[in-house]
Every structure is written in C-alpha cells, then in structure tokens.
Amino acid sequence: MQAMWQEFAGIAFSGQTPNHILGLAYTKAASQNGIRLNPIQRQGAGYHSSEKTEIFASATSLRKHQSDRFFVEKGMPNSDLFLNSPQVVWQDYFSLLKYQIMTHSDLTQIYQVNEEIANRIKSQIRYVETVDELVDKVATKRYTKARIRRLLTYILINAVESPIPNAIHVLGFTQKGQQHLKSVKKSVDIVTRIGSQTWDSLTQRADSVYQMGNANIAEQTWGRIPFHQSVSQSDL
C-alpha cells in the first residue's frame, strides 16, 4: 500500500510514521464520498516524543511525566480530569492476556492474527513476565512492535471478524446536534442508551475488559446516556 501511494500520489512517508495507514484510509474514503480534506501540520513534539521542552507536548510525554503536575497542566486543557481519573497501563492486563493466550485453542481465529504470529506468541508467553517483554520477543522487522501490541489487544478482548453495527451510538451532542438527531431519527437507527438490547458486542466487551484493569473505572456503556452540552460557541 505504501509503494502504491508513493507511486501514484507522490506521497513519501516512512513505515515508522504513526497512523499513516489510517490517514491514507481516511483519505481514500473521503475521496470516494466527495469530502475535501484540509490537512493540518502537526506542531510541537513528535508522536512518540517523551521530551518536556516542546511548546505542544505529545500524549506519550504527558502520560510518561504524569507525576509532574506543572508540566501536565501546561500541556493540556482540563488537566484535573486527566490527573484525577483512574489510570491503567498494559501491565494491568497481563494476567488476563496470558490466560487468553494459553487457553485459546486457535489464535488464528482472532482478527488479523496469522499462523506465524500465533506460533510466536504461544511459544514466548511462558517465558515473559510483562507485556513489553512479550512484544520484544515476538516483534520482528516484518511485524513491528506497534502491530504486535495491536494484535495483543485483539487477543485480550477476543476480537473476531464481525459486521459493523448498523445503529449509531450517540455519545454526546450540543443543542444544534440535538435538533439534527431529531431530524434524522426516522431514517437512521440511533442508540442513546445501552440496556437490555446489545448495540455492538465487541465494543461492549472491550469496555468491560478495560474496567477490569482498575476497580475505580466507572461503567463505560451500560445505562449511560449521552453527554449534553447545552451551550457552546458552535451553537452561537
């Protein structure tokens, strides 16, 4: 895919550039629907930078230096929400991930996991004590660490190929957005509260697994209603 875009679109990029495949996929989808994109040049720290000297810090740096309250407050709006929220790291899920790997009869049933990767993961899981160690053992030049982490996430939540849900789950809206939802509710299947009826089993399962990393994490989906922003600049 990279070679194709470089040849026909004149776009040069490195395979190490974060999210470039996702960005190209968005561009392709937009071009097929007549949507004009306005790209914005990234400012400040790089995606993986852990430096504290840039005017605009990266998310990686903010997470790494979370104990430096002054740095966090300078680097993000509403920093209290970030600082006071229950936190999780990959290692909080290692025991569950190890259980999933060791008890799954066929990891190739998991989304995007091929036989080679499945064998590498199965053979190494007994000899590691952290997720980072497992990633280091399994990753190769062909299979990057970012890809391995993504596949481990799929294994953790038992993600398999499944249809995208038709219904739209509304997370929040403004006053103007509420009027729009009213205008389309007869033609679009809209879900505002997840209850006895399942919306998207994979998303709901992922939310449940996420909660297992920290007992203080609130319910992610069940019974929650959309956030309603009553007044905003966009409504004026």
Side-chain angles (χ1 to χ4, degrees):
M1 178 180 284
Q2 294 178 25
M4 180 188 73
W5 279 89
Q6 290 180 187
E7 175 68 23
F8 296 106
I11 300 175
F13 54 83
S14 164
Q16 300 302 315
T17 304
N19 290 335
H20 67 280
I21 295 296
L22 179 62
L24 291 175
Y26 281 146
T27 303
K28 180 180 178 181
S31 66
Q32 294 173 342
N33 291 277
I35 300 174
R36 181 180 178 85
L37 300 179
N38 293 311
I40 300 174
Q41 179 69 41
R42 183 185 181 94
Q43 302 293 320
Y47 186 87
H48 288 305
S49 172
S50 60
E51 297 297 323
K52 300 169 66 175
T53 56
E54 297 285 350
I55 296 177
F56 299 110
S58 69
T60 299
S61 182
L62 289 167
R63 287 191 294 267
K64 181 177 180 180
H65 302 293
Q66 184 178 346
S67 59
D68 186 342
R69 190 178 187 91
F70 176 77
F71 172 69
V72 173
E73 289 177 345
K74 183 180 68 173
M76 65 164 55
N78 200 1
S79 57
D80 284 341
L81 182 61
F82 171 69
L83 292 169
N84 297 326
S85 296
Q87 305 293 320
V88 292
V89 294
W90 241 122
Q91 194 58 23
D92 295 324
Y93 302 95
F94 179 68
S95 295
L96 180 57
L97 175 64
K98 186 174 183 178
Y99 171 81
Q100 291 282 65
I101 293 171
M102 297 186 70
T103 60
H104 204 293
S105 59
D106 183 7
L107 287 178
T108 62
Q109 295 178 356
I110 302 296
Y111 182 61
Q112 292 189 344
V113 176
N114 60 33
E115 187 173 356
E116 180 183 356
I117 293 178
N119 289 336
R120 291 182 65 84
I121 292 174
K122 281 276 192 180
S123 65
Q124 295 297 330
I125 189 62
R126 298 178 183 275
Y127 307 106
V128 298
E129 297 182 356
T130 68
V131 175
D132 287 340
E133 287 181 15
L134 180 59
V135 171
D136 288 339
K137 294 286 187 181
V138 176
T140 64
K141 187 175 182 180
R142 180 182 179 187
Y143 301 115
T144 65
K145 291 183 179 181
R147 181 175 180 181
I148 298 303
R149 289 192 184 94
R150 186 163 59 249
L151 295 178
L152 292 178
T153 302
Y154 296 156
I155 294 172
L156 178 66
I157 63 174
N158 196 31
V160 297
E161 189 83 47
S162 59
I164 297 175
N166 292 322
I168 298 173
H169 182 207
V170 179
L171 301 179
F173 51 81
T174 61
Q175 200 70 34
K176 183 185 293 185
Q178 186 176 34
Q179 295 302 315
H180 175 70
L181 291 173
K182 287 181 179 179
S183 69
V184 301
K185 66 179 182 180
K186 292 184 178 180
S187 58
V188 179
D189 189 6
I190 296 175
V191 175
T192 56
R193 185 198 297 262
I194 295 176
S196 58
Q197 296 298 318
T198 300
W199 167 63
D200 176 19
S201 58
L202 177 58
T203 297
Q204 291 174 238
R205 183 164 64 249
D207 287 340
S208 296
V209 172
Y210 177 68
Q211 284 182 263
M212 296 174 70
N214 187 323
N216 293 317
I217 295 177
E219 169 61 47
Q220 298 294 291
T221 53
W222 189 271
R224 296 187 65 170
I225 61 175
F227 172 75
H228 183 194
Q229 185 176 353
S230 57
V231 178
S232 72
Q233 290 296 321
S234 61
D235 291 326
L236 299 179

